[in-house]
Amino acid sequence: MMIVAIYGVMIYNRLVDIKHSVSQAWSNIDILLKQRHDELPKLVETCKQYMGFEQETLKQVIAARSQVATAREAGNMSALGSAENMLRMGLGSLFAVAEDYPELTASDKFQHLQARITGLENSIADRREYYNEAVRINNVRIEQFPDIIVAQWFKFMPRDLLEFSDVEKQDVSIAKLFG
């Protein structure tokens, strides 16, 4: 009986470790999303100075930024995936339109912000992969025997993957955006 209890404690401790790995992975994404959220108004304001009549592109980025923030704060993974796609497309449009403004693209501030946001996008993609792996491990472990017994007893729950539809994973077509 003592061996079963010790084994049960070991399973419980491993499930707790996995649960906290998922939370840490989400926290890493959340930090990057907040950083990008803080950088986007600076980029939009810089662009406004040069792109007075391109307001629709700027509005798309602002609206998508708002949707990402709302989904992030709610922890809604499916809404976050959709909002992330909108933001990615908006940024693609913004950077494509910026090419028509040599003064803007020559601006040190714009170049710095573009590089910063691009770096954050890459970091978010890396962290999203890490998060999904942590979620996968969590979800598999709470379904495997004998872990399922401990998981159900202590109400360990499955977590949602941060997924994107096939359409959302495709590269943004600049020709379609302006064609």
Side-chain angles (χ1 to χ4, degrees), residues 95-173:
F95 292 146
V97 169
E99 295 297 320
D100 293 338
Y101 297 86
E103 312 88 33
L104 174 60
T105 55
S107 162
D108 288 340
K109 187 174 181 180
F110 176 80
Q111 288 179 358
H112 171 75
L113 289 168
Q114 184 179 22
R116 174 89 172 116
I117 290 170
T118 300
L120 287 169
E121 293 294 323
N122 292 335
S123 295
I124 290 167
D126 290 343
R127 294 299 177 182
R128 184 174 50 236
E129 186 177 321
Y130 175 71
Y131 170 81
N132 281 343
E133 179 60 16
V135 167
R136 185 196 67 76
I137 290 168
N138 177 75
N139 293 350
V140 167
R141 285 296 297 262
I142 65 173
E143 291 180 15
Q144 289 179 331
F145 185 82
D147 296 24
I148 191 171
I149 297 167
V150 174
Q152 287 178 344
W153 183 269
F154 290 100
K155 298 182 180 16
F156 285 88
M157 304 301 292
R159 301 288 286 269
D160 292 331
L161 293 169
L162 181 51
E163 295 183 304
F164 300 98
S165 71
D166 290 338
V167 171
E168 293 168 333
K169 290 187 262 184
Q170 294 174 355
D171 285 337
V172 176
S173 170

Coordinates of all heavy atoms in Angstrom, one line a residue, residues 95-173:
F95 N 3.6 47.3 -43.7 CA 5.0 47.3 -44.2 C 5.1 47.4 -45.7 O 6.0 48.0 -46.3 CB 5.7 46.1 -43.7 CG 6.0 46.1 -42.2 CD1 5.9 44.9 -41.4 CD2 6.2 47.3 -41.5 CE1 6.1 44.9 -40.0 CE2 6.4 47.3 -40.1 CZ 6.4 46.2 -39.4
A96 N 4.1 46.8 -46.4 CA 4.1 46.8 -47.9 C 3.7 48.3 -48.3 O 4.4 48.8 -49.2 CB 3.0 45.9 -48.4
V97 N 2.8 48.9 -47.7 CA 2.4 50.3 -48.0 C 3.6 51.2 -47.7 O 3.8 52.2 -48.4 CB 1.1 50.7 -47.3 CG1 0.9 52.2 -47.4 CG2 -0.1 49.9 -47.9
A98 N 4.3 50.9 -46.6 CA 5.4 51.8 -46.2 C 6.4 51.9 -47.3 O 7.1 52.9 -47.4 CB 6.0 51.3 -44.9
E99 N 6.6 50.9 -48.1 CA 7.6 50.9 -49.2 C 7.3 52.0 -50.2 O 8.2 52.5 -50.9 CB 7.6 49.5 -49.9 CG 8.0 48.4 -49.1 CD 9.5 48.5 -48.6 OE1 10.3 48.9 -49.4 OE2 9.7 48.2 -47.5
D100 N 6.1 52.5 -50.2 CA 5.7 53.6 -51.1 C 6.1 55.0 -50.5 O 5.9 56.0 -51.2 CB 4.2 53.6 -51.4 CG 3.8 52.4 -52.3 OD1 4.7 51.9 -53.0 OD2 2.6 52.1 -52.2
Y101 N 6.7 55.0 -49.3 CA 7.0 56.2 -48.7 C 8.5 56.2 -48.3 O 8.9 55.8 -47.2 CB 6.2 56.4 -47.4 CG 4.7 56.5 -47.7 CD1 3.9 55.4 -47.8 CD2 4.1 57.8 -47.9 CE1 2.6 55.6 -48.1 CE2 2.8 57.9 -48.2 CZ 2.0 56.8 -48.3 OH 0.7 56.9 -48.6
P102 N 9.4 56.6 -49.2 CA 10.8 56.5 -49.0 C 11.3 57.3 -47.8 O 12.2 56.8 -47.1 CB 11.4 57.1 -50.3 CG 10.4 57.2 -51.3 CD 9.1 57.1 -50.6
E103 N 10.6 58.4 -47.5 CA 11.0 59.1 -46.3 C 10.7 58.3 -45.0 O 11.5 58.3 -44.0 CB 10.2 60.5 -46.1 CG 10.2 61.3 -47.4 CD 9.0 60.9 -48.3 OE1 7.9 60.6 -47.9 OE2 9.2 61.0 -49.5
L104 N 9.6 57.6 -45.0 CA 9.2 56.7 -43.9 C 10.2 55.6 -43.7 O 10.7 55.4 -42.6 CB 7.8 56.2 -44.1 CG 7.3 55.2 -43.0 CD1 7.3 55.8 -41.6 CD2 5.9 54.7 -43.3
T105 N 10.5 54.9 -44.8 CA 11.3 53.7 -44.7 C 12.8 54.1 -44.4 O 13.5 53.3 -43.9 CB 11.3 52.8 -46.0 OG1 11.6 53.7 -47.1 CG2 9.9 52.2 -46.1
A106 N 13.1 55.4 -44.7 CA 14.5 55.9 -44.4 C 14.6 56.3 -42.9 O 15.6 56.5 -42.4 CB 14.9 57.0 -45.3
S107 N 13.4 56.5 -42.3 CA 13.4 57.0 -40.9 C 14.0 55.9 -40.0 O 13.6 54.8 -40.0 CB 11.9 57.3 -40.5 OG 11.8 57.3 -39.1
D108 N 14.9 56.4 -39.1 CA 15.6 55.5 -38.1 C 14.5 55.0 -37.2 O 14.6 53.8 -36.8 CB 16.6 56.2 -37.4 CG 17.9 56.5 -38.2 OD1 18.1 55.9 -39.2 OD2 18.6 57.4 -37.8
K109 N 13.6 55.8 -36.8 CA 12.6 55.4 -35.8 C 11.7 54.2 -36.5 O 11.4 53.2 -35.8 CB 11.7 56.5 -35.5 CG 10.7 56.2 -34.4 CD 9.9 57.5 -33.9 CE 8.9 57.2 -32.8 NZ 8.2 58.3 -32.4
F110 N 11.3 54.4 -37.7 CA 10.5 53.4 -38.4 C 11.3 52.1 -38.5 O 10.8 51.0 -38.2 CB 10.0 53.8 -39.8 CG 9.3 52.8 -40.5 CD1 8.0 52.5 -40.3 CD2 9.9 52.0 -41.5 CE1 7.3 51.5 -41.0 CE2 9.2 51.0 -42.2 CZ 7.9 50.8 -41.9
Q111 N 12.5 52.2 -38.9 CA 13.4 51.0 -39.1 C 13.6 50.3 -37.8 O 13.5 49.0 -37.7 CB 14.7 51.4 -39.7 CG 14.7 51.7 -41.2 CD 16.0 52.1 -41.7 OE1 17.0 52.2 -41.0 NE2 16.0 52.4 -43.0
H112 N 13.8 51.0 -36.7 CA 13.9 50.4 -35.4 C 12.6 49.7 -35.0 O 12.7 48.6 -34.5 CB 14.3 51.5 -34.4 CG 14.3 51.0 -32.9 ND1 15.2 50.2 -32.4 CD2 13.3 51.2 -31.9 CE1 14.9 49.8 -31.2 NE2 13.8 50.4 -30.9
L113 N 11.5 50.4 -35.1 CA 10.2 49.8 -34.7 C 9.9 48.6 -35.6 O 9.4 47.6 -35.1 CB 9.1 50.8 -34.8 CG 9.1 51.9 -33.8 CD1 8.2 53.0 -34.1 CD2 8.8 51.3 -32.4
Q114 N 10.2 48.7 -36.9 CA 9.9 47.5 -37.8 C 10.8 46.3 -37.4 O 10.3 45.2 -37.3 CB 10.2 47.9 -39.2 CG 9.9 46.8 -40.2 CD 10.1 47.2 -41.7 OE1 10.9 48.1 -41.9 NE2 9.5 46.5 -42.6
A115 N 12.0 46.6 -37.1 CA 12.9 45.5 -36.6 C 12.5 44.9 -35.3 O 12.5 43.7 -35.1 CB 14.4 46.0 -36.5
R116 N 12.1 45.8 -34.4 CA 11.6 45.4 -33.1 C 10.3 44.5 -33.2 O 10.3 43.4 -32.6 CB 11.3 46.6 -32.2 CG 10.7 46.3 -30.9 CD 11.8 46.1 -29.8 NE 11.1 46.0 -28.5 CZ 11.1 44.9 -27.8 NH1 11.8 43.8 -28.2 NH2 10.5 44.9 -26.6
I117 N 9.4 44.9 -34.0 CA 8.1 44.2 -34.1 C 8.4 42.9 -34.8 O 7.8 41.8 -34.5 CB 7.0 45.1 -34.8 CG1 6.6 46.1 -33.8 CG2 5.9 44.2 -35.2 CD1 5.7 47.2 -34.4
T118 N 9.2 42.9 -35.9 CA 9.6 41.6 -36.6 C 10.2 40.7 -35.6 O 9.9 39.5 -35.6 CB 10.5 41.9 -37.8 OG1 9.8 42.8 -38.7 CG2 10.8 40.7 -38.5
G119 N 11.1 41.2 -34.8 CA 11.8 40.3 -33.8 C 10.8 39.7 -32.8 O 10.8 38.5 -32.4
L120 N 9.8 40.6 -32.3 CA 8.8 40.1 -31.4 C 7.9 39.0 -32.1 O 7.5 38.0 -31.5 CB 7.9 41.2 -30.9 CG 8.6 42.2 -29.9 CD1 7.8 43.4 -29.7 CD2 8.8 41.4 -28.6
E121 N 7.6 39.2 -33.4 CA 6.8 38.2 -34.1 C 7.5 36.9 -34.2 O 6.9 35.8 -33.9 CB 6.5 38.7 -35.6 CG 5.6 39.9 -35.7 CD 4.2 39.7 -35.2 OE1 3.7 38.6 -35.5 OE2 3.6 40.6 -34.6
N122 N 8.8 36.9 -34.4 CA 9.6 35.7 -34.4 C 9.6 35.0 -33.1 O 9.5 33.8 -32.9 CB 11.0 35.9 -35.0 CG 11.0 36.3 -36.4 OD1 10.1 36.0 -37.2 ND2 12.0 37.1 -36.8
S123 N 9.8 35.8 -32.0 CA 9.8 35.3 -30.7 C 8.5 34.7 -30.3 O 8.4 33.6 -29.6 CB 10.2 36.4 -29.7 OG 11.5 36.8 -29.9
I124 N 7.4 35.3 -30.7 CA 6.0 34.8 -30.4 C 5.8 33.5 -31.1 O 5.3 32.6 -30.5 CB 4.9 35.8 -30.8 CG1 5.0 37.1 -29.9 CG2 3.6 35.2 -30.8 CD1 4.2 38.3 -30.4
A125 N 6.3 33.4 -32.3 CA 6.2 32.1 -33.0 C 6.9 31.0 -32.3 O 6.4 29.9 -32.2 CB 6.6 32.2 -34.5
D126 N 8.1 31.3 -31.8 CA 8.9 30.3 -31.1 C 8.3 29.9 -29.8 O 8.2 28.7 -29.5 CB 10.3 30.9 -30.8 CG 11.2 31.0 -32.0 OD1 10.9 30.4 -33.1 OD2 12.2 31.8 -31.9
R127 N 7.8 30.9 -29.1 CA 7.1 30.6 -27.8 C 5.8 29.9 -28.0 O 5.4 29.1 -27.1 CB 6.9 31.9 -27.0 CG 8.2 32.6 -26.6 CD 8.9 31.6 -25.7 NE 10.2 32.2 -25.3 CZ 11.1 31.6 -24.5 NH1 10.9 30.4 -24.1 NH2 12.2 32.2 -24.3
R128 N 5.1 30.2 -29.1 CA 3.8 29.5 -29.4 C 4.1 28.0 -29.6 O 3.4 27.1 -29.1 CB 3.2 30.1 -30.6 CG 1.8 29.5 -30.9 CD 1.2 30.2 -32.1 NE 2.0 30.3 -33.3 CZ 2.3 31.5 -33.9 NH1 1.8 32.6 -33.4 NH2 3.1 31.5 -34.9
E129 N 5.2 27.7 -30.2 CA 5.6 26.3 -30.4 C 5.9 25.6 -29.0 O 5.5 24.5 -28.8 CB 6.8 26.2 -31.3 CG 7.2 24.8 -31.7 CD 8.4 24.8 -32.7 OE1 8.5 25.7 -33.6 OE2 9.3 23.9 -32.5
Y130 N 6.6 26.3 -28.2 CA 6.9 25.8 -26.9 C 5.7 25.6 -26.0 O 5.5 24.6 -25.4 CB 7.9 26.7 -26.2 CG 8.2 26.4 -24.7 CD1 9.0 25.3 -24.4 CD2 7.7 27.1 -23.7 CE1 9.3 24.9 -23.1 CE2 8.0 26.8 -22.4 CZ 8.7 25.7 -22.1 OH 9.0 25.3 -20.8
Y131 N 4.7 26.6 -26.1 CA 3.5 26.5 -25.4 C 2.7 25.3 -25.8 O 2.2 24.5 -25.0 CB 2.6 27.8 -25.6 CG 1.2 27.6 -25.1 CD1 1.0 27.8 -23.7 CD2 0.2 27.3 -25.9 CE1 -0.3 27.7 -23.2 CE2 -1.1 27.2 -25.4 CZ -1.4 27.4 -24.1 OH -2.6 27.3 -23.6
N132 N 2.6 25.1 -27.1 CA 1.8 24.0 -27.7 C 2.4 22.6 -27.3 O 1.7 21.7 -27.0 CB 1.6 24.1 -29.2 CG 0.5 25.1 -29.6 OD1 -0.3 25.4 -28.8 ND2 0.6 25.5 -30.8
E133 N 3.7 22.6 -27.2 CA 4.4 21.3 -26.8 C 4.0 21.1 -25.3 O 3.7 19.9 -24.9 CB 5.9 21.4 -27.0 CG 6.6 20.1 -26.5 CD 6.2 18.8 -27.2 OE1 5.5 18.9 -28.3 OE2 6.5 17.8 -26.7
A134 N 4.1 22.1 -24.5 CA 3.8 21.9 -23.0 C 2.3 21.5 -22.9 O 2.0 20.6 -22.1 CB 4.0 23.2 -22.3
V135 N 1.4 22.1 -23.7 CA 0.0 21.7 -23.6 C -0.2 20.2 -24.1 O -0.9 19.5 -23.5 CB -0.9 22.6 -24.5 CG1 -2.3 22.1 -24.7 CG2 -0.9 24.0 -23.9
R136 N 0.5 19.9 -25.1 CA 0.4 18.5 -25.6 C 0.9 17.5 -24.5 O 0.2 16.5 -24.2 CB 1.3 18.3 -26.9 CG 1.1 16.9 -27.5 CD 2.3 16.6 -28.5 NE 3.6 16.4 -27.8 CZ 4.0 15.4 -27.1 NH1 3.2 14.3 -26.9 NH2 5.2 15.3 -26.6
I137 N 2.0 17.8 -23.8 CA 2.4 16.9 -22.8 C 1.4 16.8 -21.6 O 1.1 15.8 -21.1 CB 3.8 17.4 -22.2 CG1 4.9 17.2 -23.3 CG2 4.2 16.7 -20.9 CD1 6.2 17.9 -23.0
N138 N 0.9 18.0 -21.3 CA -0.2 18.0 -20.2 C -1.4 17.2 -20.6 O -1.8 16.3 -19.9 CB -0.6 19.5 -20.0 CG -1.7 19.6 -19.0 OD1 -1.5 19.4 -17.8 ND2 -3.0 19.8 -19.5
N139 N -1.9 17.4 -21.8 CA -3.1 16.7 -22.3 C -2.9 15.2 -22.4 O -3.8 14.4 -22.1 CB -3.6 17.3 -23.5 CG -4.1 18.7 -23.3 OD1 -4.3 19.2 -22.2 ND2 -4.4 19.4 -24.4
V140 N -1.7 14.8 -22.8 CA -1.4 13.3 -23.0 C -1.3 12.7 -21.6 O -1.9 11.6 -21.3 CB -0.1 13.1 -23.8 CG1 0.3 11.7 -23.7 CG2 -0.4 13.5 -25.3
R141 N -0.6 13.4 -20.7 CA -0.4 12.8 -19.4 C -1.7 12.6 -18.6 O -1.8 11.6 -17.9 CB 0.6 13.6 -18.6 CG 2.1 13.5 -19.0 CD 2.7 12.1 -18.8 NE 2.7 11.7 -17.4 CZ 3.7 11.7 -16.6 NH1 4.9 12.2 -17.0 NH2 3.7 11.2 -15.4
I142 N -2.6 13.6 -18.7 CA -3.8 13.4 -17.9 C -4.8 12.4 -18.5 O -5.8 12.1 -17.9 CB -4.5 14.8 -17.7 CG1 -5.0 15.4 -19.0 CG2 -3.6 15.8 -16.9 CD1 -5.9 16.6 -18.8
E143 N -4.4 11.9 -19.7 CA -5.3 10.9 -20.3 C -4.6 9.5 -20.2 O -5.3 8.5 -20.4 CB -5.5 11.2 -21.8 CG -6.4 12.4 -22.0 CD -6.6 12.7 -23.5 OE1 -6.4 11.8 -24.3 OE2 -7.1 13.8 -23.8
Q144 N -3.4 9.4 -19.8 CA -2.7 8.1 -19.7 C -2.9 7.4 -18.4 O -3.1 8.1 -17.3 CB -1.2 8.3 -19.9 CG -0.7 8.7 -21.3 CD 0.8 8.9 -21.4 OE1 1.4 9.2 -20.4 NE2 1.3 8.6 -22.6
F145 N -3.0 6.1 -18.4 CA -3.1 5.3 -17.2 C -1.7 5.1 -16.7 O -0.8 4.9 -17.4 CB -3.7 4.0 -17.5 CG -4.0 3.2 -16.3 CD1 -5.1 3.4 -15.6 CD2 -3.1 2.2 -15.9 CE1 -5.4 2.7 -14.4 CE2 -3.3 1.4 -14.8 CZ -4.5 1.7 -14.0
P146 N -1.5 5.2 -15.4 CA -2.4 5.5 -14.3 C -2.6 6.9 -13.9 O -3.3 7.3 -13.0 CB -1.7 4.7 -13.1 CG -0.2 4.9 -13.4 CD -0.1 4.9 -14.9
D147 N -1.9 7.8 -14.7 CA -2.0 9.3 -14.4 C -3.4 9.8 -14.4 O -3.8 10.7 -13.7 CB -1.1 10.1 -15.4 CG 0.3 9.8 -15.3 OD1 0.7 8.7 -14.8 OD2 1.1 10.6 -15.7
I148 N -4.3 9.2 -15.3 CA -5.6 9.7 -15.4 C -6.4 9.6 -14.1 O -7.2 10.4 -13.8 CB -6.4 8.9 -16.5 CG1 -7.7 9.6 -16.8 CG2 -6.6 7.4 -16.2 CD1 -8.4 9.0 -18.0
I149 N -6.1 8.6 -13.3 CA -6.7 8.4 -12.0 C -6.4 9.6 -11.1 O -7.3 10.2 -10.5 CB -6.3 7.1 -11.3 CG1 -6.7 5.9 -12.2 CG2 -6.8 7.0 -9.9 CD1 -6.1 4.6 -11.8
V150 N -5.1 9.9 -11.0 CA -4.7 11.1 -10.1 C -5.2 12.4 -10.7 O -5.7 13.2 -10.0 CB -3.1 11.1 -10.0 CG1 -2.7 12.3 -9.3 CG2 -2.6 9.8 -9.3
A151 N -5.1 12.5 -12.1 CA -5.6 13.7 -12.7 C -7.1 14.0 -12.5 O -7.5 15.1 -12.2 CB -5.3 13.6 -14.2
Q152 N -7.9 12.9 -12.6 CA -9.3 13.1 -12.3 C -9.6 13.4 -10.8 O -10.4 14.2 -10.5 CB -10.1 11.9 -12.8 CG -10.2 11.8 -14.3 CD -10.9 10.5 -14.8 OE1 -11.1 9.6 -14.0 NE2 -11.3 10.5 -16.0
W153 N -8.8 12.7 -10.0 CA -9.0 12.9 -8.5 C -8.8 14.3 -8.1 O -9.5 14.9 -7.3 CB -8.1 11.9 -7.8 CG -8.2 12.0 -6.3 CD1 -7.6 12.8 -5.5 CD2 -9.1 11.2 -5.5 NE1 -7.9 12.6 -4.2 CE2 -8.9 11.6 -4.2 CE3 -10.1 10.3 -5.8 CZ2 -9.7 11.1 -3.1 CZ3 -10.8 9.7 -4.7 CH2 -10.6 10.1 -3.4
F154 N -7.7 14.9 -8.7 CA -7.3 16.3 -8.3 C -7.7 17.3 -9.4 O -7.3 18.5 -9.3 CB -5.8 16.4 -8.1 CG -5.4 15.7 -6.9 CD1 -4.8 14.4 -6.9 CD2 -5.5 16.3 -5.6 CE1 -4.5 13.7 -5.8 CE2 -5.2 15.6 -4.5 CZ -4.6 14.3 -4.5
K155 N -8.6 16.9 -10.3 CA -9.2 17.8 -11.3 C -8.2 18.6 -12.2 O -8.3 19.8 -12.4 CB -10.2 18.8 -10.6 CG -11.3 18.1 -9.9 CD -12.3 19.1 -9.3 CE -13.5 18.5 -8.6 NZ -13.5 17.2 -8.2
F156 N -7.2 17.8 -12.6 CA -6.3 18.4 -13.6 C -7.0 18.4 -15.0 O -7.6 17.4 -15.4 CB -5.0 17.6 -13.8 CG -4.1 17.7 -12.7 CD1 -4.1 16.9 -11.5 CD2 -3.1 18.7 -12.7 CE1 -3.3 17.1 -10.5 CE2 -2.2 18.8 -11.7 CZ -2.3 18.1 -10.6
M157 N -7.0 19.6 -15.6 CA -7.8 19.7 -16.8 C -7.0 19.9 -18.1 O -5.8 20.3 -18.0 CB -8.7 21.0 -16.7 CG -9.6 21.1 -15.5 SD -10.8 19.7 -15.4 CE -11.8 20.1 -16.7
P158 N -7.5 19.4 -19.2 CA -6.8 19.7 -20.5 C -6.7 21.2 -20.8 O -7.6 21.9 -20.3 CB -7.6 18.9 -21.5 CG -9.0 18.8 -20.9 CD -8.8 18.8 -19.4
R159 N -5.7 21.6 -21.5 CA -5.6 23.0 -21.9 C -5.7 23.0 -23.4 O -5.5 22.1 -24.2 CB -4.2 23.5 -21.5 CG -3.9 23.4 -20.0 CD -4.7 24.4 -19.2 NE -4.2 25.7 -19.3 CZ -3.3 26.3 -18.6 NH1 -2.7 25.6 -17.6 NH2 -2.9 27.5 -18.8
D160 N -6.1 24.2 -23.9 CA -6.3 24.4 -25.4 C -5.0 24.8 -26.0 O -4.2 25.6 -25.5 CB -7.3 25.6 -25.6 CG -8.7 25.2 -25.2 OD1 -9.0 24.0 -25.3 OD2 -9.5 26.1 -24.8
L161 N -4.8 24.2 -27.2 CA -3.6 24.6 -28.0 C -3.8 25.9 -28.6 O -5.0 26.3 -28.8 CB -3.4 23.5 -29.1 CG -3.0 22.1 -28.7 CD1 -3.1 21.2 -29.9 CD2 -1.6 22.1 -28.2
L162 N -2.8 26.6 -28.9 CA -2.9 27.9 -29.7 C -2.7 27.5 -31.1 O -1.6 27.3 -31.6 CB -1.8 28.9 -29.2 CG -1.7 30.2 -29.8 CD1 -3.1 30.9 -29.8 CD2 -0.7 31.1 -29.2
E163 N -3.8 27.4 -31.8 CA -3.8 26.9 -33.2 C -4.3 27.9 -34.2 O -5.0 28.9 -33.8 CB -4.7 25.7 -33.3 CG -4.3 24.5 -32.5 CD -5.2 23.3 -32.7 OE1 -6.4 23.4 -32.5 OE2 -4.6 22.3 -33.1
F164 N -3.8 27.7 -35.4 CA -4.2 28.6 -36.5 C -4.7 27.7 -37.6 O -4.2 26.6 -37.9 CB -3.0 29.4 -37.0 CG -2.5 30.3 -35.9 CD1 -1.3 29.9 -35.2 CD2 -3.0 31.5 -35.7 CE1 -0.8 30.7 -34.2 CE2 -2.5 32.3 -34.7 CZ -1.4 32.0 -34.0
S165 N -5.8 28.2 -38.3 CA -6.3 27.4 -39.4 C -5.3 27.4 -40.5 O -4.4 28.2 -40.6 CB -7.7 28.0 -39.9 OG -7.4 29.2 -40.5
D166 N -5.5 26.5 -41.5 CA -4.6 26.5 -42.7 C -4.6 27.8 -43.4 O -3.5 28.3 -43.8 CB -5.1 25.4 -43.6 CG -4.8 24.0 -43.1 OD1 -4.0 23.9 -42.2 OD2 -5.5 23.0 -43.5
V167 N -5.7 28.5 -43.5 CA -5.8 29.8 -44.1 C -4.9 30.8 -43.4 O -4.2 31.6 -43.9 CB -7.2 30.3 -44.3 CG1 -7.3 31.7 -44.7 CG2 -8.0 29.4 -45.2
E168 N -5.0 30.7 -42.0 CA -4.3 31.7 -41.2 C -2.8 31.4 -41.2 O -2.0 32.3 -41.0 CB -4.8 31.6 -39.8 CG -6.2 32.1 -39.6 CD -6.8 31.8 -38.3 OE1 -6.4 30.8 -37.7 OE2 -7.7 32.5 -37.9
K169 N -2.3 30.2 -41.6 CA -0.9 29.8 -41.6 C -0.2 30.2 -42.9 O 1.0 30.2 -43.0 CB -0.7 28.3 -41.3 CG -1.0 28.0 -39.9 CD -0.7 26.5 -39.7 CE -1.9 25.7 -39.8 NZ -1.7 24.3 -39.5
Q170 N -1.0 30.5 -43.9 CA -0.4 30.8 -45.2 C 0.2 32.2 -45.2 O -0.1 33.1 -44.4 CB -1.5 30.9 -46.3 CG -2.2 29.5 -46.6 CD -3.3 29.6 -47.5 OE1 -3.7 30.7 -48.0 NE2 -3.9 28.5 -47.9
D171 N 1.3 32.4 -46.0 CA 1.9 33.7 -46.1 C 0.9 34.7 -46.6 O 0.1 34.4 -47.4 CB 3.1 33.6 -47.1 CG 4.3 32.9 -46.4 OD1 4.4 32.8 -45.2 OD2 5.2 32.4 -47.2
V172 N 1.1 35.9 -46.2 CA 0.2 37.0 -46.6 C 0.6 37.3 -48.0 O 1.8 37.5 -48.3 CB 0.4 38.2 -45.7 CG1 -0.4 39.4 -46.2 CG2 0.0 37.9 -44.3
S173 N -0.3 37.4 -48.9 CA -0.1 37.7 -50.3 C -0.3 39.2 -50.5 O -1.4 39.7 -50.4 CB -1.1 37.0 -51.2 OG -1.0 37.5 -52.5

